[in-house]
Amino acid sequence: MSAKFVINGQNKLFGEIPVQGAKNSALPILAATVLVDGVCEIHDCPDLTDVQATVNILRHLGCRVKREGHCCTVDGTSAAGSPIPEKLMHEMRSSIIFLGAILGRFGRAEMFAPGGCEIGLRPIDLHLDAMRKFGAEVLEEHGKIVCECPNGLKGTQITLSFPSVGATENILLAACRAEGTTTLFNAAREPEISDLADFLNAAGARIQGAGSGEIIIEGVKRLTGCVHTVIPDRIVAAGYLAAAAMTEGKVRLSHIIPAHIGPVLPILRDSGCEVEVRGHTVTLRAPNRLKAVKSIRTMPYPGFPTDMQAPIMAMMTVAEGTTVIVETIFESRYKHVGELGRMGANIRVEGRTAVVQGVPMLTGARVSAPDLRGGFALVLAGLAAKGTTEISEIRHMERGYEDICKTLSALGADIQRVNDGDRNEKEQ
Ligand code: UD1
């Protein structure tokens, strides 16, 4: 049965919430356990459908996985490099991250190509070119990818033409078990890359420079079990700060690494919010009316994250003045614009540029979540809008945001998750 969120807007959000573990760290770290001959205990794994999809693949590969609350224990001792079927690959696009891990451990990886998704074509050429550099033979036919390297991967030098997050992760995974040293230039610098490297180093890998543009990986013969805690989710954190900002609220986030939301803080401050950073907490107090912030351009980290583009756009729809947003990372990442328009937002898109003319007020409407972050932008709009907003296709949000209703209700929002035909089912 399909479910939707029903939001009665204009409640001011107040209170304190902890931030969940980062989806974009948990997924590659779980995939990395395939490389490990032993038991890994991963803490702060968020409870999300994407995490479950990753666990399904691990189990298919023969790993023993136990989930207890936010702890995921993976024993990869008896893993095998069996082909990953189409159904499992299509549950989640980022399952391509298994490529480097399976190839690194078994010398052969077979899986279906993940294909495009709601936000763009999302090619994997950088991933495959990198595997070729390690000496693998790559075959692409009938939608399948077969990578083979019977004599083992060889350390190499790789320069990425773009600092792709996924390609950097796949390179780290493959390089850990390659013979000799790999040097990666123009690597992605996102905090999730450093988190993956920290996990791998705890398991016995030798990785230096993660978090910078140049990463050096010395291959090792074996990785062994370890304990690791996933970093807090910077995108989710910034999203809840935006929720406070849009509702004239005051919200304190705990369990956060403030430096990771560094690229978003100036925008929140420029829009008139008071933001106080103290240790592992960030407190935001919203003004009566937000101000437009002139221009925002999405960039690889430490630039403004593309994953925050939709939520911050939602914020700017009710700010005083005009904000220009340029999306440089993904080509189709404005699918939320039409839905925001149904709620009264004034946004014009030309190519990769969106011009947001703030309006005094949004009004509730029936809308549909186009993708993960675009869906959360609609939740934000619904919280600020006058009247009732119904958001369908919420499965997109459940890929990345844990317990949205519970979290927002704790802050005073009026939001329920209801199944179609059952308007009274309260979120448990
Ligand atoms: C990761 C994040 C996603 C975030 C994105 C950019 C995960 C699970 N997902 O996605 O939330 O929005 O980083 O910060 O961590 N590209 C190519 N060829 C390739 C690979 C990528 O052309 O082989 C292009 C993509 O189409 C896109 C750009 O590079 O235009 C960025 O993609 P990438 O950094 O790889 O994003 P993901 O790892 O897929």
Side-chain angles (χ1 to χ4, degrees):
M1 197 186 297
S2 66
K4 58 189 169 194
F5 288 148
V6 178
I7 305 171
N8 290 310
Q10 295 199 321
N11 283 10
K12 297 182 182 188
L13 301 193
F14 285 99
E16 176 166 343
I17 47 169
V19 178
Q20 70 184 60
K23 166 180 88 77
N24 288 356
S25 269
L27 303 185
I29 288 171
L30 286 170
T33 61
V34 170
L35 282 168
V36 178
D37 221 346
V39 181
C40 299
E41 205 179 289
I42 323 283
H43 293 275
D44 277 355
C45 273
D47 188 10
L48 304 168
T49 48
D50 268 10
V51 169
Q52 190 53 45
T54 307
V55 166
N56 293 345
I57 294 178
L58 286 171
R59 287 190 174 133
H60 169 82
L61 293 170
C63 298
R64 292 224 299 267
V65 189
K66 202 167 79 189
R67 282 183 85 180
E68 277 173 332
H70 289 133
C71 177
C72 211
T73 309
V74 187
D75 183 353
T77 316
S78 53
S82 8
I84 305 181
E86 199 163 9
K87 186 175 171 293
L88 287 181
M89 282 300 285
H90 282 179
E91 273 179 27
M92 182 186 59
R93 193 208 169 269
S94 42
S95 40
I96 188 65
I97 203 59
F98 278 92
L99 183 66
I102 298 176
L103 193 62
R105 173 128 179 222
F106 303 106
R108 185 178 197 281
E110 191 177 325
M111 58 185 64
F112 279 84
C117 73
E118 302 83 11
I119 60 172
L121 294 171
R122 303 190 85 165
I124 51 165
D125 53 318
L126 301 175
H127 301 241
L128 299 184
D129 286 351
M131 297 306 124
R132 288 189 184 98
K133 281 277 210 168
F134 284 109
E137 229 173 79
V138 180
L139 230 129
E140 286 179 272
E141 51 182 27
H142 311 301
K144 230 187 206 181
I145 306 159
V146 183
C147 280
E148 236 170 333
C149 198
N151 301 321
L153 301 172
K154 303 276 181 284
T156 183
Q157 287 207 351
I158 301 172
T159 303
L160 287 174
S161 56
F162 179 86
S164 153
V165 173
T168 299
E169 290 165 347
N170 255 328
I171 292 166
L172 289 193
L173 295 171
C176 277
R177 294 285 290 263
E179 189 189 323
T181 302
T182 298
T183 310
L184 171 60
F185 299 101
N186 200 25
R189 293 184 280 164
E190 270 69 1
E192 294 77 18
I193 302 288
S194 307
D195 203 22
L196 174 63
D198 287 345
F199 164 77
L200 289 165
N201 283 340
R206 293 197 191 139
I207 303 171
Q208 278 178 7
S212 77
E214 187 179 325
I215 306 180
I216 300 168
I217 310 112
E218 236 181 275
V220 295
K221 291 230 152 36
R222 192 164 173 256
L223 295 180
T224 51
C226 66
V227 178
H228 181 81
T229 301
V230 170
I231 56 171
D233 197 309
R234 63 196 167 99
I235 305 299
V236 168
Y240 285 121
L241 292 177
M246 281 184 83
T247 58
E248 295 176 44
K250 183 182 173 197
V251 167
R252 183 171 184 203
L253 300 183
S254 57
H255 187 243
I256 182 172
I257 301 176
H260 292 173
I261 58 162
V264 184
L265 292 180
I267 287 169
L268 294 171
R269 289 190 171 121
D270 287 355
S271 69
C273 299
E274 265 176 48
V275 184
E276 192 193 353
V277 175
R278 199 171 280 182
H280 289 287
T281 67
V282 173
T283 308
L284 180 140
R285 185 200 300 264
N288 290 339
R289 174 103 199 257
L290 292 165
K291 287 184 293 193
V293 295
K294 305 272 181 303
S295 83
I296 297 172
R297 173 178 282 263
T298 64
M299 298 286 278
Y301 192 83
F304 180 84
T306 172
D307 286 348
M308 274 309 293
Q309 179 257 109
I312 294 294
M313 180 187 283
M315 222 178 110
M316 291 306 138
T317 61
V318 289
E320 193 172 359
T322 306
T323 304
V324 176
I325 299 177
V326 184
E327 171 58 59
T328 75
I329 309 292
F330 289 107
E331 63 276 15
S332 330
R333 215 167 193 183
Y334 283 138
K335 297 221 164 101
H336 45 281
V337 166
E339 301 303 288
L340 288 171
R342 290 164 69 86
M343 300 179 69
N346 180 353
I347 307 165
R348 267 184 304 117
V349 172
E350 267 180 43
R352 288 181 175 247
T353 304
V355 180
V356 186
Q357 177 68 57
V359 294
M361 194 174 61
L362 297 174
T363 49
R366 279 197 185 151
V367 289
S368 170
D371 54 59
L372 170 61
R373 308 301 171 188
F376 195 75
L378 299 180
V379 171
L380 293 177
L383 292 172
K386 184 170 184 216
T388 304
T389 298
E390 286 189 17
I391 309 174
S392 59
E393 303 296 336
I394 63 169
R395 65 195 158 86
H396 289 299
M397 277 92 97
E398 293 177 339
R399 289 182 39 224
Y401 296 85
E402 194 178 273
D403 281 334
I404 294 190
C405 289
K406 206 167 136 193
T407 309
L408 287 170
S409 300
L411 295 175
D414 181 350
I415 175 169
Q416 290 177 36
R417 183 186 194 278
V418 300
N419 287 323
D420 262 350
D422 176 11
R423 288 287 306 265
N424 299 319
E425 185 212 343
K426 266 255 183 199
E427 175 70 14
Q428 324 88 14

